[in-house]
Amino acid sequence: MRTLTRRLLLPGLTALALAGTGCSSPGHTAAAGPESAATPSATSDGTQQLDVNAAPQGSAAPTPLARTRTGKGQPEKSSLKVASYDKASGRAVISTAPPAHTAKPSHSPTPGKPVDKPVAVGDIIASAPAPGAPNGLLAKVTEVVGKKDSGTEVKTASTTLASVLKDDKADGKVPVDPASVTVVPLMKGVTFSYAKSQGVRFGPQGAKLPLGNLRLDVNAAVDTAKDAPASAGASVSGFVQLAPQVEFSYDGSKDGGLGLSSAFLGMSGDWSSQWALKGRAAASTGAPKRIPFAKLHSAPVIQVGPVPVVVNLDLTCYVQVEADGHVTLDVQQDVKGDFRVGGSYAAGKGWAPVSTSAVHSTPVNASVTAAGKVKGALGAEASVGLYGAVGVTADFAPYLRGDVDAKANASSDGKASASATWAVYGGFDLSGRLDFQLSLFGTPVIEHHIPLGTLHREWSLANGHAER
């Protein structure tokens, strides 16, 4: 059968998801520090409008901690820190954070501002990652056990953001620093590159990445059909480039006195991908074969006014192949787009999923030979949550599939004929769910997983019919 080559338009990978996964910009490094975080603006109803920025970074910066003190209505920045935490017992040691090292001479406390008092029963504390609490700590002090050399030991219980943010409001987006992303390759042939405003790194072959982007390159073999010639060895190669940012909003103004008005947690950003699937993949048995090639994790700290909020992002990138072992496919795609995925809460309506994506594809070439079916996807499983608890999961899988149906006929008079009908399709599948851990906002617990709703789109890219 002749090789059928046509130009295609195809959307590619959006990594949500997710994990994962980052982006950094000049606004990121200059994002609000301690002073701006401590000066929220007042709204018309008497509540505070808190800025949402990236938390200060660097070894010289103290671990951010905020608390809402017993009998106090608003969160405040604290000079205390979590020296240690034991998750099993809920016990923590709270101590005074050392002063940050700066080139400028230290200033005396602001006149009239009280010195930070020791932690007390009823205090709500919110901390960035600390010893024993890699995902940060959001807890209520239930008992002061006593003094230790390292600080004051307390017993804590879990609590919600509503207990520390109270009736304040916040809304903003924070880019994820690509340098904070941990990447674990799951197969050979995976490389990781990133670029940020300080210390720009470059991608493979000297390709300079845009600032704030991270990039995964993969070049790996997949199972080849047993009867395929050596020239039809199956492989996947290409890259995924991401620039995600965390979206956070909170409106604690009481709706009829029953609870907070609205909230949102999610991830959005830009992405691009270029990948190729070649060869004759082995026949799938049962479910399509999914091959994870990298896991990414980041726990960015966003500063909501004085309150450090730890967002956990996880992303697993994978290749998925579904084939009958007969079709030899040679396809390349180059796509760009944006994405937004998360959970949105509104009083009286509860939690609802949010998922949007726009893709822009450039023409690519593809060929399909032999008769049969094949489907290849380059996808991502992503999760977004708070303080180590997963709140939103999403699975996005752009794909290309090809079908070739060949028929041959012969008669006793020696006449013979052959025909083939072929088609190539592009599309993507998006699925996921909202988890009950979103109740960390202070909203009612989600009793069952709320599905994002399976979004399936497919369109014909090329088709034809040949006879001889």
Side-chain angles (χ1 to χ4, degrees):
M1 177 179 295
R2 66 171 183 168
T3 298
L4 305 172
T5 305
R6 297 293 299 267
R7 288 197 163 199
L8 312 177
L9 294 176
L10 182 67
L13 171 67
T14 172
L16 302 174
L18 152 291
T21 142
C23 174
S24 177
S25 64
H28 176 75
T29 55
E35 294 303 321
S36 59
T39 55
S41 58
T43 59
S44 58
D45 57 3
T47 62
Q48 297 183 100
Q49 181 67 45
L50 304 177
D51 291 333
V52 178
N53 295 291
Q57 296 186 14
S59 58
T63 302
L65 183 143
R67 67 171 172 172
T68 302
R69 286 193 273 173
T70 304
K72 302 292 183 180
Q74 302 295 341
E76 60 185 32
K77 185 176 179 181
S78 174
S79 62
L80 304 176
K81 72 170 186 177
V82 177
S84 64
Y85 175 70
D86 181 67
K87 184 177 180 180
S89 64
R91 294 196 176 203
V93 175
I94 310 298
S95 64
T96 301
H101 298 289
T102 62
K104 299 179 180 180
S106 60
H107 297 281
S108 58
T110 304
K113 183 177 180 179
V115 178
D116 209 350
K117 295 182 179 180
V119 67
V121 173
D123 283 0
I124 307 296
I125 57 176
S127 171
N135 294 306
L137 180 63
L138 177 64
K140 180 178 182 178
V141 176
T142 58
E143 180 183 341
V144 176
V145 179
K147 293 287 186 179
K148 300 183 67 174
D149 292 342
S150 54
T152 302
E153 184 177 9
V154 298
K155 290 183 179 180
T156 66
S158 59
T159 188
T160 66
L161 273 173
S163 65
V164 64
L165 293 178
K166 299 291 186 177
D167 56 356
D168 290 337
K169 301 177 182 179
D171 186 11
K173 301 178 182 179
V174 176
V176 177
D177 184 349
S180 70
V181 178
T182 301
V183 179
V184 179
L186 301 178
M187 63 169 59
K188 293 182 179 179
V190 177
T191 58
F192 173 63
S193 305
Y194 69 85
K196 57 180 294 185
S197 56
Q198 300 294 329
V200 176
R201 289 185 54 180
F202 297 87
Q205 292 84 45
K208 187 175 181 180
L209 299 180
L211 294 180
N213 278 249
L214 64 83
R215 169 170 161 160
L216 280 173
D217 284 73
V218 60
N219 187 356
V222 297
D223 291 343
T224 303
K226 293 181 179 180
D227 58 346
S231 59
S235 65
V236 172
S237 61
F239 69 83
V240 177
Q241 191 167 298
L242 313 170
Q245 55 188 0
V246 174
E247 290 194 31
F248 179 94
S249 69
Y250 174 92
D251 184 353
S253 57
K254 301 296 187 290
D255 182 75
L258 299 178
L260 65 110
S261 293
S262 63
F264 179 85
L265 176 66
M267 184 195 302
S268 62
D270 297 325
W271 56 268
S272 62
S273 66
Q274 183 182 89
W275 65 291
L277 175 63
K278 298 181 179 181
R280 187 180 302 178
S284 305
T285 56
K289 186 171 184 179
R290 178 169 292 194
I291 309 169
F293 64 84
K295 286 188 175 182
L296 294 80
H297 173 76
S298 181
V301 181
I302 60 176
Q303 199 73 32
V304 182
V307 181
V309 177
V310 184
V311 181
N312 42 285
L313 308 176
D314 289 280
L315 180 72
T316 300
C317 296
Y318 65 85
V319 175
Q320 184 167 293
V321 179
E322 184 177 5
D324 59 9
H326 299 298
V327 172
T328 300
L329 185 69
D330 186 347
V331 60
Q332 294 181 344
Q333 60 173 331
D334 188 353
V335 292
K336 295 181 179 180
D338 56 38
F339 65 91
R340 186 171 187 255
V341 61
S344 178
Y345 175 83
K349 297 181 180 180
W351 284 97
V354 174
S355 58
T356 60
S357 177
V359 295
H360 311 280
S361 177
T362 57
V364 293
N365 294 324
S367 63
V368 184
T369 62
K373 299 178 183 294
V374 65
K375 180 179 179 180
L378 185 63
E381 295 177 341
S383 68
V384 186
L386 297 173
Y387 298 101
V390 176
V392 182
T393 62
D395 190 329
F396 188 86
Y399 66 82
L400 174 84
R401 72 178 183 90
D403 292 335
V404 181
D405 183 16
K407 296 180 180 179
N409 297 300
S411 61
S412 58
D413 59 5
K415 295 181 180 181
S417 64
S419 64
T421 301
W422 60 273
V424 181
Y425 302 90
F428 67 86
D429 294 314
L430 175 63
S431 60
R433 66 177 187 267
L434 306 184
D435 296 310
F436 68 89
Q437 286 91 341
L438 281 170
S439 60
L440 276 172
F441 275 95
T443 60
V445 175
I446 298 175
E447 295 183 359
H448 305 284
H449 295 306
I450 299 176
L452 287 178
T454 301
L455 178 60
H456 172 77
R457 294 179 183 172
E458 183 177 272
W459 49 90
S460 175
L461 297 171
N463 60 76
H465 181 80
E467 293 187 8
R468 64 178 177 85

